[in-house]
Amino acid sequence: MTLGFFRNLTKPKRTPVVEREYCVAGRTLPLKIVENDRARRLTLRIDSGGQGLRITVPPGLRRGEVEKFLDRHQDWLEQRLAKVPARPQVRPGIKIPVRGVPHRIVHEPSQRGTVTISSDERGPLLIVHGDRVHLPRRIADFLKREAKREIEKLVGKHTEALGKRAKAIRFKDTSSRWGSCTSDGNLSFSWRIMMAPSPVINYLVAHEVAHLKEMNHGPKFWKLCEQLCPDTERCKAWLKRNGGALQAIAFE
C-alpha cells in the first residue's frame, strides 16, 4: 500500500493530479500537485501571470513532504509573486495588443454586440458594441475567432511542409502553456497568443506542428522547428520575456 498522494490508479498512463488552494503573499492561488514517474525531486513553478502554482513530485511521496517543501520556499514565493504585476482588467480606455499592436478599447453601446478593428487620430482601436457588462467576454470571443482563423491556416501550411496531418485543433485559455501536441496528433493552442506579434504566432504553431514528428525537445526537434520557422530563437525569446504579461490580462 502506498503512503503517497495517489492510490488505486486504474489508468497508469495518466498523470495523477491533486488540486487545492494555497495561501501565500496575501493571495489564494490554485495549487496543482502532479506526480511524475521520472521526477527524482520536488520542483515548484509559478504559472504565467502568477495565476497558480504547480509542484511536480516523485511517485509515492508522503503528503507531509509537500507541506515542508512549501514552507521552505515561502520566502522565494513571496519575492517572486511580489514582482508579478496586478492583473489588468479589460475595460474601455485601456490598450491591449492584437497581433502585437496595441489597440485602445472603445465602447460604443448603441449597436449590437460586435467587435471591430478601426483607427483614428488616437491610433488603432478595438471598438466593442453592446452592453458594457459583456465587453471583456466579447473581446475574448473576438480573439478566439481570430485565433481559429489564423492558426488553422498556419497549421495547414506547416503540416503540409512537414508531411504530417493534425488530427484536431483546439483552442483553450491555459495558464501553464501556450500550446501542446498529443501523441495521437491533437494540437491545442491558447487563444491569447493572438495578442503576440504575428511572427511569434507563426513560431508557436511551427513549434507544436514539429511535435507531430518529434515528441520531445531534443536537437532533432529544434532543427525541425528552425526549418519550419527560421526566426525560432528570436520568437521563443520574445514569448519567454512577454508571455507572462499576456497571461495576466483578465477577461472576466
Side-chain angles (χ1 to χ4, degrees):
M1 181 178 71
T2 179
L3 295 176
F5 278 92
F6 311 103
R7 305 180 183 183
N8 303 322
L9 298 177
T10 58
K11 297 180 180 179
K13 290 185 178 181
R14 182 178 175 225
T15 302
V17 178
V18 167
E19 297 187 19
R20 64 182 178 88
E21 292 184 335
Y22 183 71
C23 296
V24 59
R27 311 186 193 191
T28 300
L29 299 174
L31 168 66
K32 286 186 179 181
I33 304 168
V34 182
E35 185 178 276
N36 189 314
D37 289 339
R38 293 177 294 180
R40 295 293 175 265
R41 59 187 179 87
L42 289 84
T43 57
L44 173 61
R45 185 176 74 189
I46 301 174
D47 289 341
S48 296
Q51 297 180 60
L53 306 174
R54 178 187 178 98
I55 296 180
T56 302
V57 303
L61 191 79
R62 295 174 181 269
R63 291 177 182 269
E65 293 303 313
V66 170
E67 302 304 324
K68 293 178 184 177
F69 180 76
L70 285 168
D71 287 344
R72 289 198 302 271
H73 289 81
Q74 276 279 326
D75 290 344
W76 180 85
L77 279 172
E78 290 177 0
Q79 291 171 11
R80 294 297 295 269
L81 288 169
K83 297 178 181 178
V84 176
R87 298 192 72 192
Q89 177 70 47
V90 169
R91 63 186 186 277
I94 74 163
K95 292 183 179 180
I96 67 166
V98 179
R99 293 179 177 85
V101 178
H103 285 63
R104 185 181 301 278
I105 298 173
V106 176
H107 180 220
E108 294 185 357
S110 58
Q111 301 182 39
R112 295 184 62 183
T114 59
V115 177
T116 57
I117 286 181
S118 184
S119 64
D120 62 12
E121 67 278 0
R122 293 169 291 181
L125 304 175
L126 201 59
I127 301 176
V128 187
H129 304 290
D131 293 341
R132 166 67 178 83
V133 68
H134 300 307
L135 181 143
R137 177 178 57 80
R138 290 208 165 99
I139 295 177
D141 289 344
F142 167 79
L143 292 172
K144 292 173 189 177
R145 290 192 298 271
E146 292 293 297
K148 178 176 173 60
R149 181 170 63 86
E150 183 158 340
I151 288 177
E152 286 183 351
K153 186 189 305 181
L154 289 169
V155 168
K157 169 189 168 184
H158 290 308
T159 52
E160 183 178 359
L162 192 66
K164 291 281 188 177
R165 177 179 294 182
K167 183 178 178 181
I169 306 171
R170 300 186 176 98
F171 299 93
K172 303 177 180 180
D173 187 11
T174 53
S175 59
S176 59
R177 59 175 62 184
W178 286 100
S180 64
C181 175
T182 65
S183 57
D184 55 355
N186 291 318
L187 302 178
S188 294
F189 299 95
S190 169
W191 51 262
R192 289 174 179 261
I193 197 63
M194 293 311 298
M195 293 186 283
S198 293
V200 177
I201 299 169
N202 178 60
Y203 155 70
L204 177 65
V205 177
H207 182 116
E208 299 308 333
V209 167
H211 279 311
L212 294 172
K213 192 170 184 178
E214 295 288 340
M215 286 293 294
N216 54 70
H217 285 105
K220 289 183 178 179
F221 166 80
W222 288 114
K223 183 178 179 180
L224 185 57
C225 201
E226 289 275 1
Q227 290 172 358
L228 295 174
C229 174
D231 210 15
T232 284
E233 285 302 318
R234 188 170 69 92
C235 292
K236 181 171 69 169
W238 189 97
L239 198 54
K240 185 176 182 179
R241 287 195 312 271
N242 301 284
L246 301 185
Q247 294 283 10
I249 297 174
F251 286 90
E252 65 273 344

